[in-house]
Amino acid sequence: MRMRRDDSTRRAPGELEAQVLAVLWKADGPLSPAEVRERLGAGLAYTTVVTILSRLHEKGVAEREKLGRSFRYRPVDDEPGLAARRMTKVLDGEPDRDSVLARFVSNLSESDEHLLRELLRQSEG
């Protein structure tokens, strides 16, 4: 019979994906599901790791390459790059992009606004 985790040890949504991504980011190259599982050290089933890696691939967060009969995975971008992709995806889904950007900028802290202005100046020059 399969043992179930109780609610007190249940992972938060996305926690396992984040852990798998952290393993991929630390790697020097693409990893197999078995290598990811080994580096996680969480006693996860191999099929669970394969499922998470497949989901990350479907979301466009990880690339995979065929090697023999299995795949090896690597992240498509670093952590800041993935956050930027998520932000772009949200903007792309909004019918009034200008208003969303205006609201975003108006809600920035003074230091973030200063940083954004500096980054925009740098990208112009």
Side-chain angles (χ1 to χ4, degrees), residues 51-63:
T51 298
I52 295 300
L53 288 166
S54 296
R55 286 182 186 160
L56 291 173
H57 177 257
E58 290 167 7
K59 291 178 178 182
V61 176
E63 296 175 329

Side-chain angles (χ1 to χ4, degrees), residues 7-51:
D7 287 340
S8 65
T9 61
R10 188 168 215 144
R11 286 183 188 86
E15 182 180 341
L16 189 52
E17 284 185 3
Q19 290 172 348
V20 169
L21 265 175
V23 166
L24 293 177
W25 283 324
K26 288 179 186 174
D28 292 331
L31 298 175
S32 69
E35 291 168 325
V36 171
R37 180 178 179 246
E38 179 183 309
R39 292 177 187 201
L40 282 170
L44 295 171
Y46 177 83
T47 54
T48 300
V49 175
V50 169
T51 298

